[in-house]
Coordinates of all heavy atoms in Angstrom, one line a residue:
M1 N -25.8 -105.2 -69.2 CA -24.7 -105.0 -68.2 C -24.0 -103.6 -68.4 O -23.8 -102.9 -67.5 CB -23.7 -106.1 -68.3 CG -22.7 -106.1 -67.2 SD -23.4 -106.6 -65.7 CE -21.9 -106.9 -64.7
A2 N -23.7 -103.4 -69.7 CA -23.0 -102.1 -70.0 C -24.0 -100.9 -69.8 O -23.5 -99.9 -69.4 CB -22.5 -102.1 -71.4
D3 N -25.2 -101.2 -70.0 CA -26.2 -100.2 -69.8 C -26.3 -99.8 -68.3 O -26.5 -98.6 -68.0 CB -27.6 -100.7 -70.3 CG -28.3 -99.7 -71.2 OD1 -27.6 -98.7 -71.6 OD2 -29.5 -99.9 -71.5
E4 N -26.3 -100.8 -67.5 CA -26.3 -100.5 -66.0 C -25.1 -99.8 -65.6 O -25.2 -98.8 -64.8 CB -26.4 -101.9 -65.3 CG -27.8 -102.5 -65.3 CD -27.8 -103.8 -64.5 OE1 -27.0 -103.9 -63.5 OE2 -28.5 -104.7 -64.9
A5 N -24.0 -100.1 -66.1 CA -22.7 -99.4 -65.8 C -22.8 -97.9 -66.2 O -22.4 -97.0 -65.5 CB -21.5 -100.0 -66.4
D6 N -23.4 -97.7 -67.4 CA -23.5 -96.3 -67.9 C -24.5 -95.5 -67.1 O -24.2 -94.4 -66.7 CB -24.0 -96.4 -69.4 CG -23.0 -96.8 -70.4 OD1 -21.8 -96.8 -70.0 OD2 -23.4 -97.1 -71.5
N7 N -25.6 -96.2 -66.7 CA -26.6 -95.5 -65.8 C -26.0 -95.2 -64.4 O -26.2 -94.1 -63.9 CB -27.8 -96.4 -65.6 CG -28.7 -96.4 -66.9 OD1 -28.6 -95.5 -67.7 ND2 -29.5 -97.4 -67.0
S8 N -25.2 -96.1 -63.9 CA -24.6 -95.9 -62.6 C -23.6 -94.8 -62.7 O -23.5 -93.9 -61.8 CB -23.9 -97.2 -62.1 OG -24.8 -98.2 -61.9
L9 N -22.8 -94.8 -63.8 CA -21.9 -93.7 -63.9 C -22.6 -92.3 -64.1 O -22.2 -91.3 -63.5 CB -21.0 -94.0 -65.1 CG -19.8 -93.0 -65.4 CD1 -18.9 -92.9 -64.2 CD2 -19.1 -93.4 -66.6
L10 N -23.6 -92.3 -64.9 CA -24.4 -91.1 -65.1 C -25.0 -90.6 -63.8 O -25.0 -89.4 -63.5 CB -25.5 -91.4 -66.2 CG -26.3 -90.2 -66.6 CD1 -25.3 -89.1 -67.2 CD2 -27.3 -90.6 -67.6
T11 N -25.5 -91.5 -63.0 CA -26.1 -91.2 -61.7 C -25.0 -90.6 -60.8 O -25.2 -89.5 -60.2 CB -26.7 -92.4 -61.0 OG1 -27.8 -92.9 -61.9 CG2 -27.3 -92.1 -59.7
L12 N -23.9 -91.2 -60.8 CA -22.8 -90.7 -60.0 C -22.3 -89.3 -60.4 O -22.1 -88.4 -59.6 CB -21.6 -91.7 -60.0 CG -20.3 -91.3 -59.3 CD1 -20.6 -91.2 -57.8 CD2 -19.2 -92.3 -59.5
M13 N -22.2 -89.1 -61.7 CA -21.8 -87.8 -62.2 C -22.8 -86.8 -61.9 O -22.5 -85.6 -61.6 CB -21.5 -88.0 -63.8 CG -20.3 -88.8 -64.1 SD -20.1 -89.0 -65.8 CE -19.6 -87.4 -66.3
R14 N -24.1 -87.1 -62.0 CA -25.2 -86.1 -61.7 C -25.1 -85.7 -60.2 O -25.2 -84.6 -59.8 CB -26.5 -86.7 -62.0 CG -26.8 -86.7 -63.4 CD -28.2 -87.2 -63.7 NE -28.5 -87.2 -65.2 CZ -29.3 -88.0 -65.8 NH1 -30.0 -88.9 -65.1 NH2 -29.5 -87.9 -67.1
R15 N -24.8 -86.7 -59.3 CA -24.7 -86.4 -57.9 C -23.4 -85.5 -57.7 O -23.5 -84.6 -56.9 CB -24.5 -87.7 -57.1 CG -25.7 -88.5 -56.9 CD -25.5 -89.7 -56.1 NE -26.6 -90.6 -56.1 CZ -26.6 -91.8 -55.7 NH1 -25.4 -92.4 -55.3 NH2 -27.7 -92.6 -55.7
M16 N -22.4 -85.8 -58.3 CA -21.2 -85.0 -58.2 C -21.4 -83.6 -58.7 O -21.0 -82.6 -58.1 CB -20.0 -85.6 -59.0 CG -19.5 -86.9 -58.3 SD -18.2 -87.8 -59.3 CE -17.0 -86.5 -59.6
D17 N -22.1 -83.5 -59.8 CA -22.5 -82.1 -60.4 C -23.3 -81.3 -59.4 O -23.1 -80.2 -59.1 CB -23.2 -82.3 -61.7 CG -23.4 -81.0 -62.4 OD1 -22.4 -80.2 -62.5 OD2 -24.5 -80.8 -62.9
A18 N -24.3 -82.0 -58.8 CA -25.2 -81.3 -57.8 C -24.4 -80.9 -56.6 O -24.6 -79.8 -56.1 CB -26.4 -82.2 -57.4
R19 N -23.5 -81.8 -56.2 CA -22.7 -81.4 -55.0 C -21.8 -80.3 -55.3 O -21.6 -79.4 -54.5 CB -21.9 -82.7 -54.6 CG -21.4 -82.7 -53.2 CD -20.7 -84.0 -52.8 NE -21.7 -85.0 -52.5 CZ -21.4 -86.3 -52.3 NH1 -20.2 -86.7 -52.5 NH2 -22.4 -87.1 -52.0
T20 N -21.2 -80.3 -56.5 CA -20.3 -79.2 -56.9 C -21.1 -77.9 -57.0 O -20.6 -76.8 -56.5 CB -19.7 -79.5 -58.3 OG1 -19.0 -80.7 -58.2 CG2 -18.7 -78.4 -58.7
E21 N -22.3 -77.9 -57.5 CA -23.1 -76.7 -57.5 C -23.4 -76.2 -56.1 O -23.4 -74.9 -55.9 CB -24.4 -77.0 -58.3 CG -24.3 -77.0 -59.8 CD -25.6 -77.3 -60.5 OE1 -26.7 -76.8 -60.0 OE2 -25.6 -78.0 -61.5
R22 N -23.8 -77.1 -55.2 CA -24.0 -76.6 -53.8 C -22.8 -76.0 -53.2 O -22.9 -75.0 -52.5 CB -24.5 -77.8 -53.0 CG -26.0 -78.2 -53.3 CD -26.5 -79.1 -52.2 NE -25.7 -80.3 -52.0 CZ -25.9 -81.5 -52.7 NH1 -26.8 -81.6 -53.6 NH2 -25.1 -82.5 -52.4
M23 N -21.6 -76.6 -53.5 CA -20.4 -76.1 -52.9 C -20.1 -74.7 -53.5 O -19.7 -73.8 -52.8 CB -19.2 -77.0 -53.2 CG -19.2 -78.3 -52.4 SD -18.0 -79.6 -52.8 CE -16.6 -78.7 -53.2
A24 N -20.4 -74.5 -54.8 CA -20.1 -73.2 -55.4 C -21.1 -72.2 -54.8 O -20.7 -71.0 -54.5 CB -20.4 -73.3 -56.9
E25 N -22.3 -72.5 -54.5 CA -23.3 -71.6 -53.9 C -22.8 -71.3 -52.5 O -22.9 -70.1 -52.1 CB -24.7 -72.2 -53.9 CG -25.3 -72.3 -55.2 CD -26.7 -73.0 -55.2 OE1 -27.2 -73.4 -54.1 OE2 -27.2 -73.3 -56.3
D26 N -22.4 -72.3 -51.8 CA -21.9 -72.1 -50.4 C -20.7 -71.1 -50.4 O -20.6 -70.2 -49.6 CB -21.5 -73.4 -49.7 CG -22.7 -74.2 -49.4 OD1 -23.8 -73.7 -49.4 OD2 -22.5 -75.4 -49.1
I27 N -19.8 -71.3 -51.3 CA -18.6 -70.5 -51.4 C -19.0 -69.0 -51.7 O -18.5 -68.1 -51.2 CB -17.6 -71.0 -52.5 CG1 -16.9 -72.3 -51.9 CG2 -16.5 -70.0 -52.8 CD1 -16.1 -73.0 -53.0
H28 N -20.0 -68.9 -52.6 CA -20.4 -67.5 -53.0 C -21.0 -66.8 -51.7 O -20.7 -65.7 -51.5 CB -21.5 -67.6 -54.1 CG -22.1 -66.3 -54.3 ND1 -21.5 -65.2 -55.0 CD2 -23.4 -65.8 -54.0 CE1 -22.3 -64.2 -55.0 NE2 -23.4 -64.5 -54.5
H29 N -21.8 -67.6 -51.0 CA -22.4 -67.0 -49.8 C -21.3 -66.6 -48.8 O -21.4 -65.6 -48.1 CB -23.4 -68.0 -49.1 CG -24.7 -68.2 -49.9 ND1 -25.5 -67.1 -50.3 CD2 -25.2 -69.2 -50.5 CE1 -26.5 -67.6 -51.0 NE2 -26.3 -68.9 -51.2
L30 N -20.3 -67.5 -48.6 CA -19.2 -67.2 -47.7 C -18.5 -65.9 -48.2 O -18.1 -65.1 -47.4 CB -18.3 -68.4 -47.6 CG -18.8 -69.5 -46.8 CD1 -17.8 -70.7 -47.0 CD2 -19.0 -69.2 -45.4
E31 N -18.3 -65.8 -49.5 CA -17.6 -64.6 -50.0 C -18.4 -63.3 -49.7 O -17.8 -62.3 -49.3 CB -17.4 -64.7 -51.5 CG -16.3 -65.7 -51.9 CD -16.3 -66.0 -53.4 OE1 -17.3 -65.7 -54.1 OE2 -15.3 -66.5 -53.9
V32 N -19.7 -63.4 -49.8 CA -20.5 -62.2 -49.5 C -20.4 -61.9 -48.0 O -20.2 -60.7 -47.7 CB -22.0 -62.5 -49.9 CG1 -22.9 -61.5 -49.3 CG2 -22.1 -62.6 -51.4
R33 N -20.4 -62.9 -47.2 CA -20.3 -62.7 -45.7 C -19.0 -62.1 -45.4 O -18.9 -61.2 -44.5 CB -20.6 -63.9 -45.0 CG -22.1 -64.4 -45.1 CD -22.4 -65.7 -44.4 NE -22.2 -65.5 -43.0 CZ -22.3 -66.5 -42.1 NH1 -22.5 -67.7 -42.5 NH2 -22.1 -66.2 -40.8
V34 N -17.9 -62.7 -45.9 CA -16.6 -62.2 -45.6 C -16.4 -60.7 -46.1 O -15.8 -59.9 -45.4 CB -15.5 -63.1 -46.3 CG1 -14.1 -62.4 -46.2 CG2 -15.4 -64.4 -45.6
T35 N -16.9 -60.4 -47.2 CA -16.9 -59.0 -47.7 C -17.6 -58.1 -46.7 O -17.1 -57.0 -46.4 CB -17.5 -58.9 -49.1 OG1 -16.8 -59.7 -50.0 CG2 -17.5 -57.5 -49.6
A36 N -18.8 -58.5 -46.2 CA -19.5 -57.7 -45.3 C -18.7 -57.5 -44.0 O -18.6 -56.4 -43.4 CB -20.8 -58.3 -45.0
L37 N -18.0 -58.6 -43.6 CA -17.2 -58.5 -42.4 C -16.0 -57.5 -42.6 O -15.7 -56.8 -41.7 CB -16.7 -59.9 -41.9 CG -17.7 -60.8 -41.3 CD1 -17.1 -62.2 -41.2 CD2 -18.1 -60.3 -40.0
E38 N -15.4 -57.6 -43.7 CA -14.3 -56.8 -44.1 C -14.7 -55.3 -44.0 O -14.0 -54.4 -43.5 CB -13.7 -57.1 -45.4 CG -12.9 -58.4 -45.4 CD -12.5 -58.8 -46.8 OE1 -13.1 -58.4 -47.8 OE2 -11.5 -59.6 -46.9
E39 N -15.9 -55.0 -44.6 CA -16.4 -53.7 -44.6 C -16.7 -53.2 -43.2 O -16.4 -52.0 -42.9 CB -17.6 -53.6 -45.5 CG -17.3 -53.7 -47.0 CD -18.6 -53.9 -47.8 OE1 -19.7 -54.0 -47.3 OE2 -18.4 -53.9 -49.1
A40 N -17.2 -54.0 -42.4 CA -17.5 -53.7 -41.0 C -16.2 -53.4 -40.2 O -16.1 -52.4 -39.4 CB -18.2 -54.8 -40.3
V41 N -15.1 -54.2 -40.5 CA -13.8 -54.0 -39.8 C -13.3 -52.6 -40.3 O -12.7 -51.9 -39.4 CB -12.9 -55.1 -40.1 CG1 -11.4 -54.8 -39.7 CG2 -13.3 -56.4 -39.4
V42 N -13.3 -52.3 -41.5 CA -12.8 -51.0 -42.0 C -13.6 -49.9 -41.4 O -13.0 -48.9 -40.9 CB -12.9 -51.0 -43.6 CG1 -12.7 -49.6 -44.1 CG2 -11.9 -51.9 -44.2
E43 N -14.9 -50.0 -41.3 CA -15.7 -48.9 -40.7 C -15.4 -48.8 -39.2 O -15.2 -47.6 -38.7 CB -17.2 -49.2 -40.9 CG -18.1 -48.2 -40.3 CD -17.9 -46.8 -40.9 OE1 -17.5 -46.6 -42.0 OE2 -18.1 -45.8 -40.1
N44 N -15.2 -49.9 -38.5 CA -14.9 -49.8 -37.1 C -13.5 -49.2 -36.9 O -13.3 -48.4 -36.0 CB -15.0 -51.2 -36.4 CG -16.4 -51.6 -36.2 OD1 -17.3 -50.7 -36.1 ND2 -16.6 -52.9 -36.2
S45 N -12.6 -49.5 -37.8 CA -11.2 -49.0 -37.7 C -11.3 -47.4 -37.9 O -10.6 -46.7 -37.2 CB -10.4 -49.6 -38.8 OG -9.1 -49.0 -38.8
R46 N -12.1 -47.0 -38.9 CA -12.2 -45.5 -39.1 C -12.8 -44.9 -37.9 O -12.4 -43.8 -37.5 CB -13.1 -45.3 -40.3 CG -12.4 -45.6 -41.6 CD -13.3 -45.3 -42.8 NE -12.7 -45.8 -44.0 CZ -13.4 -46.3 -45.0 NH1 -14.7 -46.4 -45.0 NH2 -12.8 -46.6 -46.1
R47 N -13.8 -45.5 -37.3 CA -14.4 -44.9 -36.1 C -13.4 -44.8 -34.9 O -13.4 -43.8 -34.2 CB -15.6 -45.8 -35.6 CG -16.8 -45.6 -36.5 CD -18.0 -46.5 -36.0 NE -19.1 -46.4 -36.8 CZ -20.2 -47.2 -36.7 NH1 -20.3 -48.0 -35.7 NH2 -21.2 -47.0 -37.5
F48 N -12.6 -45.9 -34.8 CA -11.6 -45.9 -33.7 C -10.6 -44.8 -33.9 O -10.2 -44.1 -33.0 CB -10.9 -47.3 -33.7 CG -10.0 -47.5 -32.6 CD1 -10.4 -47.5 -31.3 CD2 -8.6 -47.5 -32.9 CE1 -9.5 -47.7 -30.3 CE2 -7.7 -47.7 -31.9 CZ -8.1 -47.7 -30.5
E49 N -10.2 -44.6 -35.2 CA -9.2 -43.5 -35.5 C -9.8 -42.2 -35.1 O -9.1 -41.3 -34.6 CB -8.8 -43.6 -37.0 CG -7.9 -44.8 -37.3 CD -7.6 -44.9 -38.8 OE1 -8.0 -44.0 -39.5 OE2 -7.0 -45.9 -39.2
R50 N -11.1 -42.0 -35.5 CA -11.7 -40.7 -35.2 C -11.8 -40.5 -33.6 O -11.6 -39.4 -33.1 CB -13.1 -40.6 -35.8 CG -13.1 -40.4 -37.3 CD -14.5 -40.0 -37.8 NE -15.5 -41.0 -37.6 CZ -15.9 -42.0 -38.4 NH1 -15.3 -42.1 -39.6 NH2 -16.8 -42.8 -38.1
L51 N -12.1 -41.6 -32.9 CA -12.2 -41.5 -31.5 C -10.8 -41.2 -30.9 O -10.7 -40.4 -30.0 CB -12.7 -42.8 -30.9 CG -14.2 -43.0 -31.0 CD1 -14.6 -44.4 -30.5 CD2 -15.0 -41.9 -30.2
E52 N -9.8 -41.8 -31.4 CA -8.4 -41.6 -30.9 C -8.1 -40.1 -31.1 O -7.5 -39.5 -30.3 CB -7.4 -42.4 -31.7 CG -7.3 -43.8 -31.2 CD -6.2 -44.6 -32.0 OE1 -6.1 -44.4 -33.2 OE2 -5.5 -45.4 -31.3
H53 N -8.4 -39.6 -32.3 CA -8.2 -38.2 -32.6 C -8.9 -37.2 -31.6 O -8.3 -36.3 -31.1 CB -8.6 -37.8 -34.0 CG -8.4 -36.4 -34.4 ND1 -7.1 -35.9 -34.6 CD2 -9.2 -35.4 -34.6 CE1 -7.2 -34.6 -35.0 NE2 -8.5 -34.3 -35.0
R54 N -10.2 -37.6 -31.4 CA -11.0 -36.7 -30.5 C -10.4 -36.8 -29.0 O -10.3 -35.8 -28.3 CB -12.4 -37.2 -30.5 CG -13.1 -36.8 -31.8 CD -14.4 -37.4 -31.9 NE -15.3 -36.8 -31.0 CZ -16.6 -37.2 -30.8 NH1 -17.1 -38.2 -31.4 NH2 -17.4 -36.5 -29.9
V55 N -10.0 -38.0 -28.6 CA -9.5 -38.2 -27.2 C -8.2 -37.4 -27.1 O -7.9 -36.7 -26.1 CB -9.3 -39.7 -26.9 CG1 -8.4 -39.8 -25.6 CG2 -10.6 -40.3 -26.7
G56 N -7.4 -37.5 -28.2 CA -6.1 -36.7 -28.2 C -6.4 -35.2 -28.0 O -5.6 -34.5 -27.3
R57 N -7.3 -34.7 -28.7 CA -7.7 -33.3 -28.6 C -8.1 -32.9 -27.2 O -7.8 -31.9 -26.6 CB -8.7 -32.9 -29.6 CG -8.2 -32.8 -31.0 CD -9.2 -32.2 -32.1 NE -10.5 -31.8 -31.6 CZ -11.6 -32.1 -32.1 NH1 -11.7 -32.8 -33.2 NH2 -12.8 -31.6 -31.6
I58 N -8.9 -33.8 -26.6 CA -9.4 -33.6 -25.3 C -8.3 -33.6 -24.3 O -8.2 -32.7 -23.4 CB -10.5 -34.6 -24.9 CG1 -11.8 -34.4 -25.7 CG2 -10.8 -34.6 -23.4 CD1 -12.8 -35.5 -25.6
E59 N -7.4 -34.6 -24.4 CA -6.2 -34.7 -23.6 C -5.3 -33.4 -23.7 O -4.9 -32.9 -22.6 CB -5.4 -35.9 -23.9 CG -6.0 -37.2 -23.4 CD -5.3 -38.4 -23.9 OE1 -4.5 -38.4 -24.8 OE2 -5.5 -39.5 -23.2
R60 N -5.1 -33.0 -24.9 CA -4.3 -31.7 -25.0 C -5.0 -30.5 -24.4 O -4.4 -29.7 -23.8 CB -4.0 -31.5 -26.5 CG -3.0 -32.3 -27.1 CD -2.6 -31.9 -28.5 NE -3.7 -31.9 -29.5 CZ -4.1 -33.0 -30.1 NH1 -3.5 -34.2 -29.9 NH2 -5.0 -33.0 -31.0
A61 N -6.3 -30.5 -24.5 CA -7.0 -29.4 -23.9 C -7.0 -29.4 -22.4 O -7.1 -28.4 -21.7 CB -8.5 -29.4 -24.4
L62 N -6.9 -30.6 -21.8 CA -6.9 -30.8 -20.4 C -5.5 -30.7 -19.8 O -5.4 -30.7 -18.5 CB -7.6 -32.1 -20.0 CG -9.1 -32.2 -20.3 CD1 -9.6 -33.6 -19.9 CD2 -9.8 -31.1 -19.5
D63 N -4.5 -30.7 -20.6 CA -3.1 -30.7 -20.1 C -2.9 -29.4 -19.3 O -3.4 -28.3 -19.7 CB -2.1 -30.7 -21.2 CG -1.8 -32.1 -21.7 OD1 -2.1 -33.1 -21.0 OD2 -1.2 -32.2 -22.8
P64 N -2.3 -29.5 -18.1 CA -2.0 -28.3 -17.3 C -1.2 -27.3 -18.1 O -0.2 -27.6 -18.8 CB -1.3 -28.8 -16.1 CG -0.9 -30.2 -16.4 CD -1.7 -30.7 -17.6
I65 N -1.5 -26.0 -17.9 CA -0.8 -25.0 -18.6 C 0.4 -24.5 -17.7 O 0.1 -24.3 -16.5 CB -1.7 -23.8 -18.9 CG1 -2.8 -24.2 -19.8 CG2 -0.9 -22.6 -19.5 CD1 -3.9 -23.2 -20.1
D66 N 1.6 -24.4 -18.2 CA 2.7 -24.0 -17.4 C 2.6 -22.5 -17.2 O 2.7 -21.7 -18.2 CB 4.0 -24.4 -18.1 CG 5.2 -24.1 -17.2 OD1 5.1 -23.8 -16.1 OD2 6.3 -24.4 -17.8
L67 N 2.4 -22.0 -16.0 CA 2.2 -20.6 -15.7 C 3.5 -19.8 -15.3 O 3.5 -18.8 -14.7 CB 1.2 -20.4 -14.6 CG -0.2 -21.0 -14.9 CD1 -1.1 -20.8 -13.7 CD2 -0.8 -20.2 -16.1
Q68 N 4.7 -20.4 -15.6 CA 5.9 -19.7 -15.2 C 6.2 -18.5 -16.1 O 6.2 -18.3 -17.1 CB 7.1 -20.7 -15.3 CG 6.9 -21.8 -14.2 CD 8.1 -22.8 -14.3 OE1 9.0 -22.6 -15.2 NE2 8.0 -23.7 -13.5

């Protein structure tokens, strides 16, 4: 009887260990994906800033000149 309880407990612990390992792998994959998303957001932000700068230069170049 005690042997069966030990085996059941060992089986349960092995399942919990396997589940924990899968969760750790899933978390790692999520971390990698979030990092990639963060890098993409930073790159897009830089591109947007460059575009804002270029549009500002174009707008200044197109501003009417006061001929008075």
